[in-house]
Structure formats: structure tokens, C-alpha cells
């Protein structure tokens, strides 16, 4: 899972990108303005930035230049989105530090695959080291979507696995039901916060001896323990 910042002024496209990125398991930040995008990149340090070339306040090229000149954001991969596909535009994009250049209209599936490849290249060592998770009785294989409690493998649905992984990756931090709906389920109008409670209850039942790693924070949401010892305290 990665955090992706979308800087795009077309509301419909921004919504489509946000929905599909969340369905792919990513967290999404979004804005229509270049200045706000720069602020979000600096404060939230996303793993990748999708940047439209034509923005109402700043040119995408200027945003990219400023990102690459700032030590705190220069390592973040930038993928430019634009309706202009001339070779000169692409060359300029690459010269100022963009990792890729995608011309509208584009296939969302192709976009996701290209982003996945960029993310893999940008953090290969981290991705390998984080494939396997060990937390007390709990073990997870991110790539294979497999989970064990002690020596027993447990079967989780794809959504349950995504929910567990999201809570684990944000351990020690309380996650509201609304945030979990947004990041795990995506934008689905027919889903209610009661669904979150139902899925967490079912997930805890499957986790058996590791169920106490997920705590209920009354009136707010859920929290994954910061350490296995906290669950037995």
C-alpha cells in the first residue's frame, strides 16, 4: 500500500483516480491546486505524486521543479498527466525530474500498472523487507495475501486482508470508521459505518488468539496495538 497525492483540477477525473487508487489498496490525497499540492507533499510525504500539467494557479512543470528542488520532496516520484502528448512536452517533463508522462485519455488499468512499477523501482529494498510481517502471534505475507496466527493459517477474504493490513500499517493510531470506509472500501454510497463494525467483528473472530491486537476506541473507531505486549496489558 502506498500514499498517492493527486494534483488534478478536473473534478470528475480526480474522483475516478481517487476511487480506483483506493480500490487498488492505496491511500489518496487530492487537490485541484498546485500550491496546495506542494504543501501536502511537504507535510504528508506521499510515496508518489500524480500531477496534472495544466492547473489553475501554477503550471505542472513549475510544481514539479519546486518538488525536485526541495530536499524534503525531491525523492518522491512524479508522474505527469496531460492532454498534450507532443514529444517536446514529454522531454521537458523528463528533464525537470518526472518519472513518467501519461497522456489523456488513458486506461486506468494501464495507469495503475505503471504506477505499481514506479513504486516498486523507487523502494525495492523496502518492499522486499516489508513483504513479511511478524507481530507477536501474527504473521502476514503481503504479496501472497496469507495470514497465520501461531502455526495455523487463517483464511481471510480480500477485503478482510486489506482491512487487517490497513490497521496494522497504521498501528498505534486510531482509525475512524469513516477513514476505514474511505481507504478500505473506497467510495461506495451503499456502505454504512455499521459495515465496518461487522467486518472488524468477523476479522477478530478469525484472528482467534490475536484478536486483542485490534482495539475498539469507543465513539471513534479502531486501533491496532503498537506492540504485542499492549494487547495483554
Amino acid at each position: 500500500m502506498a500514499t498517492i497525492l493527486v494534483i488534478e483540477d478536473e473534478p470528475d477525473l480526480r474522483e475516478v483516480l481517487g476511487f480506483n487508487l483506493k480500490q487498488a489498496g492505496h491511500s489518496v490525497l487530492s487537490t485541484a491546486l498546485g500550491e496546495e499540492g506542494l504543501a501536502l507533499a511537504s507535510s504528508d510525504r506521499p510515496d508518489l505524486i500524480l500531477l496534472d500539467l495544466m492547473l489553475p494557479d501554477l503550471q505542472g512543470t513549475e510544481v514539479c521543479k519546486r518538488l525536485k528542488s526541495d530536499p524534503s520532496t525531491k525523492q518522491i516520484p512524479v508522474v505527469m498527466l496531460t492532454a498534450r502528448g507532443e514529444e517536446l512536452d514529454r522531454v521537458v517533463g523528463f528533464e525537470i525530474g518526472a518519472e513518467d508522462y501519461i497522456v489523456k485519455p488513458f486506461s486506468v488499468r494501464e495507469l495503475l500498472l505503471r504506477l505499481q512499477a514506479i513504486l516498486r523501482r523507487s523502494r525495492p529494498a523496502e518492499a522486499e523487507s516489508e513483504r513479511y510481517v511478524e507481530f507477536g502471534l501474527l504473521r502476514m505475507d503481503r504479496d501472497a495475501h496469507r495470514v497465520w496466527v501461531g502455526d495455523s493459517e487463517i483464511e481471510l477474504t480480500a477485503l478482510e486482508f486489506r482491512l487487517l493490513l490497513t490497521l496494522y500499517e497504521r498501528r498505534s493510531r486510531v482509525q475512524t470508521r469513516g477513514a476505514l470506509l474511505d481507504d478500505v472500501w473506497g467510495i461506495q454510497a451503499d456502505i454504512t459505518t455499521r459495515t465496518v463494525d461487522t467486518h472488524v467483528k468477523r476479522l477478530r473472530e478469525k484472528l482467534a488468539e490475536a484478536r486483542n491486537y485490534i482495539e475498539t476506541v469507543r465513539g471513534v473507531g479502531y486501533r491496532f496495538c503498537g506492540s504485542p505486549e499492549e494487547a495483554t496489558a
Side-chain angles (χ1 to χ4, degrees):
M1 177 183 291
T3 298
I4 297 177
L5 170 59
V6 178
I7 308 176
E8 166 61 60
D9 68 328
E10 294 182 38
D12 291 345
L13 179 55
R14 195 165 62 246
E15 183 175 349
V16 168
L17 288 171
F19 173 77
N20 283 280
L21 289 168
K22 288 172 184 174
Q23 287 293 96
H26 302 299
S27 296
V28 179
L29 305 167
S30 64
T31 178
L33 300 174
E35 289 286 3
E36 187 176 355
L38 288 166
L40 286 170
S42 180
S43 62
D44 292 80
R45 306 288 178 85
D47 299 296
L48 185 145
I49 297 172
L50 277 176
L51 174 62
D52 186 24
L53 193 61
M54 303 296 291
L55 296 169
D57 59 338
L58 289 176
Q59 288 287 326
T61 50
E62 176 62 22
V63 175
C64 188
K65 286 178 184 176
R66 287 165 63 174
L67 286 167
K68 295 303 179 180
S69 64
D70 184 339
S72 69
T73 58
K74 67 182 298 183
Q75 299 301 325
I76 302 173
V78 175
V79 175
M80 286 191 164
L81 300 176
T82 179
R84 292 158 48 178
E86 290 82 359
E87 181 180 357
L88 179 59
D89 293 323
R90 293 198 299 274
V91 170
V92 170
F94 290 130
E95 284 181 343
I96 61 177
E99 270 67 31
D100 205 348
Y101 197 100
I102 298 176
V103 180
K104 303 173 185 176
F106 51 81
S107 158
V108 173
R109 177 170 172 75
E110 180 186 352
L111 172 68
L112 293 174
L113 289 172
R114 287 167 77 168
L115 297 187
Q116 184 178 345
I118 292 169
L119 288 166
R120 215 167 29 235
R121 290 198 302 269
S122 67
R123 50 181 187 181
E126 179 184 350
E128 180 62 26
S129 66
E130 291 188 353
R131 172 178 174 176
Y132 298 102
V133 171
E134 291 194 15
F135 187 92
L137 295 170
L138 184 65
R139 288 187 297 127
M140 289 185 280
D141 182 337
R142 296 170 187 261
D143 292 354
H145 284 213
R146 299 176 68 185
V147 178
W148 295 262
V149 174
D151 295 326
S152 302
E153 183 172 359
I154 62 173
E155 292 188 10
L156 298 182
T157 65
L159 193 145
E160 288 168 346
F161 183 84
R162 193 156 65 243
L163 175 60
L164 175 61
L165 194 57
T166 298
L167 288 167
Y168 169 79
E169 288 179 336
R170 301 173 186 181
R171 55 195 178 278
S172 295
R173 290 177 286 168
V174 177
Q175 300 301 304
T176 66
R177 291 171 176 83
L180 290 172
L181 277 176
D182 203 27
D183 296 336
V184 177
W185 277 261
I187 303 170
Q188 296 186 30
D190 58 334
I191 296 293
T192 67
T193 54
R194 187 180 297 275
T195 297
V196 178
D197 297 334
T198 301
H199 278 79
V200 170
K201 180 176 183 291
R202 189 176 303 141
L203 177 59
R204 279 176 168 156
E205 290 172 353
K206 290 186 177 183
L207 290 176
E209 296 95 335
R211 61 183 297 143
N212 291 334
Y213 293 162
I214 301 174
E215 300 176 338
T216 300
V217 181
R218 293 190 178 278
V220 183
Y222 297 96
R223 171 184 176 271
F224 200 97
C225 291
S227 68
E229 291 73 27
E230 285 185 29
T232 58

